[in-house]
Amino acid sequence: MKRKILVLLFALLLTLALICSASAADYGVIYTETSSLYSDELSALGEYDLPLFTETYHIDMRVDVLTSLGDFASTEEAAAYIYETYGYGYGSGFNGVTLTILVHEDGDGVALDEWYVYAGGTSHELTTNGPWNVYPALGEIMIEEYWAGDAEQDSAALAAAIRAMLDGMEHFVLAGGVHSTIWHPETGFVDGEVGYDEPIAELDPETYAPDSFPAAGELIGYVTDTAGIMTNDDRNALEEAARDIAEQYDFGVYIITVDSFRDHTDSYDVFDGATTLYRKYKLGIGEESKGILLLLSMNGRDFSLITYSDYGNFVFDTETRESMTSWFLDNFAMDDWFGGFSDYLTLCEQVLAEGPAKLQGEIRGMVGIIFILPLIVAFIVIFILGSKMKSVAKATRAEVYAEGGLHVTNSNDLFINTTQTRRKRSSSSSGGGRSGGVSSRSSGGFGGTSGKF
Amino acid sequence: MATQVTNYQCPNCTGPLHFEASSGKVECEFCGSAYELDYIEKLYAAKDEKAAEAHAKVEEKRKSGGADEWDMSGLSGSWGEDGAGMRAYSCPSCCAEIICDENTAATSCPYCGNPTVVPGQFDGTLKPDYVIPFKLKKDAAVAALKKHYSGRPFLPKAFKDKNHIEEIKGIYVPFWLFNGEADCEAVYDCSNSRTYRSGDYDVTETDHYEVLREGFVTFSRIPVDASTKMADDYMDSIEPFDYSELKEFSMAYMPGYLADKYDVSVDACSARADERAYNTAADCLRSSVGAYGSVLERHKEIRLNRGKVQYALLPVWLLTTKWNGQNYMFAMNGQTGKFVGKLPVDKKRKWGIFAAVYAAVALVTAIGVLFPGGLLRLLGM
């Protein structure tokens, strides 16, 4: 009898275990406590797409589908607990994003109760801004009508939600965080070490005090760091150097950093952002508003180097600007802001010092054209008119008297061989190759060179 | 012992052939083609035979005098009864010798305008084979001269007004008409290129060709004037004459016009005919090679085979005039009306026009260069 009871108990326990294990399932990095959500697509997402994203962008992507919150008051609490307890996160920074969903069984599928996107790790940018790249798209999918108790439809909704999360996070990564410690497009992953212990919110105001823009039309200094990427000491040193150059050469030399140039213009071109700021804050010296501005837009790591005035566009022509970018973009790529700006000011000073000599050379060239070209034209005209005065010349040909031209008796075109020469194409005039190409344009009296850093 | 060493060339690419013991064939060092030795020897034997045949032909022609000597068998000094109606005059000023029919009087020299010409003996001159009669009258020549003055801004106004345009004389100029043939051959190195992009490279591919052309050009009646008094460049410039109107010589065409006696021999004139024939044959060879981007002549050979020479009188209206102590001559083709001549240049007008053009272009250039670039603003203007 006892033996029979023991066997029964064991069978019962085993059955329970099986039931439990059948209820909870892992599809790679997708954990679900309900067996109602399953599809080949979910399997592929969990076993391939999400891990691939993780390895590519070094953000641990996870999905947890819960049927009960247990002791937690919300999916947010549950998400945070799960993240810490189960060791989510990539690398030493433990950076990651999870989608936590609370459902209950309904029909042969599930019904949606609650959901939360949790970002963990040491990256301030990720934890602050990452989920906001995901919410808009998820918000359209995580609605009751898509989770209506039909297993197939519910599984499709979950798959769509996961894809939306991947798209949103990819956008976040490629757009680049301001102080992203996760991904630099050109230099690759920085393993959560750079800046992660200096979240922006905790910057010492004694050291970093971001500038703010005054009202339009009010004057700003030569260096305006609204993005707060420079220490106060660095900014002051650059301001002094820029002022010295401006006073010596009667030409404004400006630096502006912003979080996003889109805050100042509707255009998607950073050049337009720079020109808007130049006009808005009446940059430039003298009646012609002579000046040069280097704008850094941190969110997208965009830069624009613009000049204004005839003299400015003359000394800082396209070739000069593109050449300058190849000097300071290296520094910006490594987040060496002070070094890059110092190079920029040094180059501006060099170009301005050579400006008068360049103008003299240009004048000599123009004078040469004004005097020599008419000389050539006048001689050509005289020659043509003079040739009309003499219509007599000895004949050296007799084609008129050749009956039928050449009578060909033998003709042979023999192919010998084919030769090939290969010449490597020189790189385009775009400099700053380390941060991708640059492009130049001019508009409204401005000349500009823009690109990524 | 071999008396001749022959280096065989590849029939495919003309590269040198060498005997390869392992294969028993002759192989090309450049393109790698291989041929049986028998085949190459037969090919060269055929070439030698062809060359020998050509050489024999030339020798035969040379012996018959057809190649290098002009055939002057048609020329005749016998005027017959026509000779009785001809008169001759000579000019003591420029030594011109003029003939005309008995009803035409030479009142002044058509070349230098000297009004005193001396009647002389009509003898010792060839009778022309052909003549092209005057088609255009003196009025047409006068009108052509006036038209010739128009559109010439360097022409001094005084020249136009004071020119003696009435002194126009129609004269039959003696010409040798040369007939012959030019045998020619040439070899060209030709190529076509194309360029395309492949990755980071610009690739240029060039196809090379060896082009052979052989043929002949037949020349008919290349005219060379046979008078030292007639400037060669003037006579060349009023060409061509329309030979469809060439007539057998007859005294009927002479009245009212003077004719010049030839004083330059066939041999002396033939060099000019040879030069024109040679150059034209070379041009014809070159123009037979088409559709190549680059054509370089590697070898050319042109052999002139001289044919018959004929003597003809061709119609020319002549005007000679003096202005500012200089003689100016104008000539008009008496058949087609083509008018040529050297006009005087008013240097003041010439340099005045130069200065005006210079000033205008300088002004336009200055505006175009200074204003758009803002250079004036840069200079503070």
Side-chain angles (χ1 to χ4, degrees), chain A residues 310 397-398 401 409 413 418, chain B residues 207 214 239 280 283 292 377:
Chain A
D310 290 324
R397 301 293 193 273
Y401 309 101
T409 55
D413 291 43
T418 299
Chain B
D207 294 333
E214 285 180 20
E239 287 180 28
T280 299
D283 289 348
Y292 292 105
R377 288 200 292 277

Side-chain angles (χ1 to χ4, degrees), chain A residues 216-218 256 271-284 289 293 306 308 443-446:
Chain A
E218 291 190 23
I256 295 179
F271 171 86
D272 294 325
T275 57
T276 300
L277 284 166
Y278 197 100
R279 284 201 182 94
K280 193 171 175 183
Y281 294 103
K282 294 184 175 17
L283 302 182
S289 300
L293 163 65
I306 64 168
Y308 188 74
S443 170
F446 290 95

